Amino acid sequence: MAKYVIAHDLGTSGNKATLFNEEGMLVASRVASYQTVYAAGNRAEQDPSDWWKAITETTNALLQLVSPEEIAGVALSGQMMGCLCIDKKGNPLSPHLLYCDQRSQEEEAFLYEKMDPLHFYEITGHRISASYSIEKLMWIRKHMPEVFAKTYKMLNAKDYINFRLCGTIATDPSDASGTNAYDLNRWSWSEEIIEAAGLDISLFPEVRSSIDVIGEVTEEAAKATGLRKGTPVICGGGDGSCAGVGVGCVAPGTSYNYLGSSSWVALTVEKPVVDEQRRTMNWAHVVPGMLHPSGTMQTAGASYNWMVQQLCLFEQEEARIRKGNVYELIDEQIRKSPVGSNKLLFLPYLMGERSPRWNVNAKGAFIGLTVGHTHGDMLRSVMEGITLNLGLIVNIFRNHVPVENMTVIGGCAKNPIWQQMMADIYQTEIKIPNYLEEATSMGAAILAGIGAGLFKDFSVTDRFIHIDKKISPIPANVEKYKELIAVFDRTYEHLKDVYTDLSDLNL
């Protein structure tokens, strides 16, 4: 009897394949990496054949542990906001353009001229931006006309792999909502936006539910992957929404915070969260009928890592001599500094900023530095600056919906100092689950199990996810951070013109 599911997390740097059993236990995982080609002009591309190679290698590796007959279904989560043009036979016509590919600035400007930005945001849940798929497809039409002329459909990463597995060309609402061409109010492709872009709606694939069985593993795919011919292939979803399922953020009123190199706060709601300043985004959830608004900051863990590399050389050397843990030594210093870092602020904008600033020129800064400040103050202020910025995003959402608790995942979520800081700044209970870095794969596994009939519905998340720790806010700290976050916000506003001037300097 089939009692396992295979989930693939087709990410930016590689594919992670995971094997889960019907009890929600992670049995094994395998990883295969692939290259991203970066080029001048903010270009980032991948070869889809590298994805398929990674899928076949990792699937075959997992099937050394169980029989192909025991696999109930397969589903993928995948990198979002890309653009892959295929012909009528499903063959890629050019490399895949990643979400971080920014070459379509002119197309972004064109859409700004054609449509009111707030109206566009109300339709799609997103700003007009070169980051998204439709702007990239417009660029291909202009600069690669021979490719565009042969294009049958535009796909995202997981959609192409689904095609290779079962021969069906389709996408799901979560990936569709990352194209900037999907109407979240109508749950369909936006004819208005596609027409404004000068494109034909036929270029966009059929949208299926994330839990639909869209086909079965073909004979050719079975030979390549080791899977049984006829194994159900479930549509799957974008990585952000799959991560939401993987932390149990599946019902209205639930929320989570991923804290890694970048960081985002996301919710599950029934109606779009429309911020008139367009500081946050709305996505379709992989949970049918639900939406998944989010706000993403650019450099969260990346700012912390910069601090470790640039400000913690002594701790690195001490850890090497003692054969200890550098992060524990850093925490010792942070604990010596009080809440508010003795009135020292750090602005964590080391690579510009997305939410809540949307300013590519934003820069990092220490504000309030005096001769009285210590090494520990500087380290704590970095951690606080990251969390205060995320706190602004939480507060934006709190203007629209209650935020009663927050599940936190990602590598940085392991730090107990950070856990308490989040509870105090977010003014809510923080929940730490049993798995901190498997959420995306787990979400795809749950989609596979529901689609294949192994699981009844999304309530199965309780079988996968257990809360190991809860952290409550400390009232005195909450009051201090309320004052600090207001100053933090004003500091950025006063520096906006300086950031622009610095960027314009010809040095």
Side-chain angles (χ1 to χ4, degrees), residues 112-124:
Y112 264 108
E113 292 178 1
K114 294 285 287 186
M115 293 192 67
D116 173 68
L118 182 58
H119 178 55
F120 189 99
Y121 174 78
E122 289 170 341
I123 294 171
T124 65

Side-chain angles (χ1 to χ4, degrees), residues 90 150 268 398 476:
K150 297 177 183 177
T268 296
R398 192 172 269 129

Side-chain angles (χ1 to χ4, degrees), residues 150-441:
K150 297 177 183 177
T151 297
Y152 174 61
K153 299 289 182 186
M154 178 195 73
L155 300 181
N156 265 293
K158 72 108 173 46
D159 304 326
Y160 173 71
I161 295 301
N162 281 344
F163 168 75
R164 293 294 301 266
L165 286 171
C166 69
T168 300
I169 296 175
T171 191
D172 81 297
S174 65
D175 254 336
S177 68
T179 62
N180 252 1
Y182 193 69
D183 188 333
L184 287 175
N185 304 287
R186 300 171 181 266
W187 294 88
S188 63
W189 295 115
S190 170
E191 294 182 4
E192 180 181 357
I193 289 174
I194 292 170
E195 182 179 336
L199 299 170
D200 194 290
I201 200 167
S202 66
L203 293 169
F204 297 83
E206 177 188 9
V207 181
R208 302 278 297 272
S209 170
S210 301
I211 55 175
D212 275 359
V213 175
I214 59 170
E216 297 178 343
V217 171
T218 64
E219 183 174 353
E220 181 181 358
K223 290 178 181 177
T225 62
L227 289 164
R228 173 183 59 84
K229 179 186 174 184
T231 300
V233 177
I234 290 78
C235 194
D239 52 9
S241 295
C242 283
V245 173
V247 298
C249 186
V250 296
T254 52
S255 58
Y256 83 99
N257 177 195
Y258 171 79
L259 193 56
S261 293
S262 63
S263 180
W264 63 80
V265 175
L267 318 172
T268 296
V269 298
E270 295 175 291
K271 296 181 179 179
V273 172
V274 178
D275 176 56
E276 290 193 358
Q277 297 180 53
R278 297 173 290 132
R279 293 169 294 180
T280 56
M281 302 165 284
N282 288 287
W283 310 83
H285 209 326
V286 292
V287 181
M290 295 295 169
L291 295 169
H292 203 52
S294 71
T296 301
M297 70 172 287
Q298 195 88 322
T299 50
S303 290
Y304 182 83
N305 289 336
W306 170 85
M307 176 197 80
V308 173
Q309 296 303 316
Q310 302 300 326
L311 304 182
C312 298
L313 299 180
F314 173 78
E315 285 81 5
Q316 291 183 54
E317 182 63 15
E318 278 290 295
R320 186 188 66 79
I321 293 170
R322 295 189 203 175
K323 296 183 179 178
N325 186 315
V326 66
Y327 299 106
E328 291 178 0
L329 296 176
I330 291 170
D331 285 350
E332 286 179 15
Q333 294 298 315
I334 292 175
R335 286 191 183 96
K336 295 177 183 178
S337 179
V339 167
S341 307
N342 285 310
K343 302 181 182 179
L344 178 63
L345 287 174
F346 175 75
L347 304 188
Y349 309 132
L350 301 187
M351 291 178 64
E353 186 54 292
R354 286 185 277 177
S355 295
R357 308 303 187 189
W358 295 99
N359 184 352
V360 296
N361 293 325
K363 306 283 189 295
F366 284 103
I367 303 294
L369 193 62
T370 71
V371 292
H373 281 113
T374 66
H375 181 55
D377 291 334
M378 295 186 74
L379 304 189
R380 184 179 180 93
S381 73
V382 171
M383 189 179 283
E384 286 183 333
I386 295 163
T387 317
L388 289 166
N389 198 65
L390 289 166
L392 291 174
I393 297 171
V394 173
N395 289 341
I396 293 168
F397 287 133
R398 192 172 269 129
N399 290 331
H400 299 269
V401 294
V403 180
E404 296 176 352
N405 56 63
M406 185 78 66
T407 302
V408 181
I409 58 170
C412 298
K414 300 173 185 177
N415 188 304
I417 299 174
W418 220 327
Q419 292 169 1
Q420 186 62 58
M421 192 179 290
M422 287 186 285
D424 296 338
I425 291 174
Y426 301 170
Q427 306 171 43
T428 195
E429 182 183 69
I430 297 297
K431 301 193 295 186
I432 308 298
N434 48 331
Y435 293 116
L436 291 179
E437 300 185 68
E438 299 290 346
T440 307
S441 300

Side-chain angles (χ1 to χ4, degrees), residues 33-149:
S33 60
Y34 37 75
Q35 282 190 323
T36 300
V37 178
Y38 296 98
N42 293 322
R43 301 186 179 197
E45 300 178 347
Q46 287 180 345
D47 184 342
S49 66
D50 291 340
W51 301 337
W52 181 242
K53 183 172 182 287
I55 292 287
T56 59
E57 286 180 0
T58 53
T59 305
N60 276 294
L62 289 178
L63 292 175
Q64 300 300 308
L65 306 175
V66 296
S67 166
E69 301 293 328
E70 296 181 283
I71 305 300
V74 181
L76 277 85
S77 70
Q79 50 174 287
M80 304 174 75
M81 301 158 63
C83 178
L84 175 65
C85 295
I86 61 168
D87 64 18
K88 287 187 176 180
K89 295 183 178 180
N91 298 313
L93 295 168
S94 61
H96 174 261
L97 310 189
L98 274 73
Y99 61 92
C100 53
D101 188 300
Q102 296 288 305
R103 71 182 72 181
S104 53
Q105 301 287 338
E106 290 183 5
E107 288 68 29
E108 173 187 324
F110 176 83
L111 282 178
Y112 264 108
E113 292 178 1
K114 294 285 287 186
M115 293 192 67
D116 173 68
L118 182 58
H119 178 55
F120 189 99
Y121 174 78
E122 289 170 341
I123 294 171
T124 65
H126 298 268
R127 287 170 168 249
I128 300 170
S129 168
S131 299
Y132 295 94
S133 307
I134 194 169
E135 288 86 349
K136 294 177 172 66
L137 185 57
M138 292 166 66
W139 186 93
I140 288 173
R141 178 187 59 194
K142 180 177 180 180
H143 297 277
M144 303 174 71
E146 71 289 352
V147 167
F148 186 78

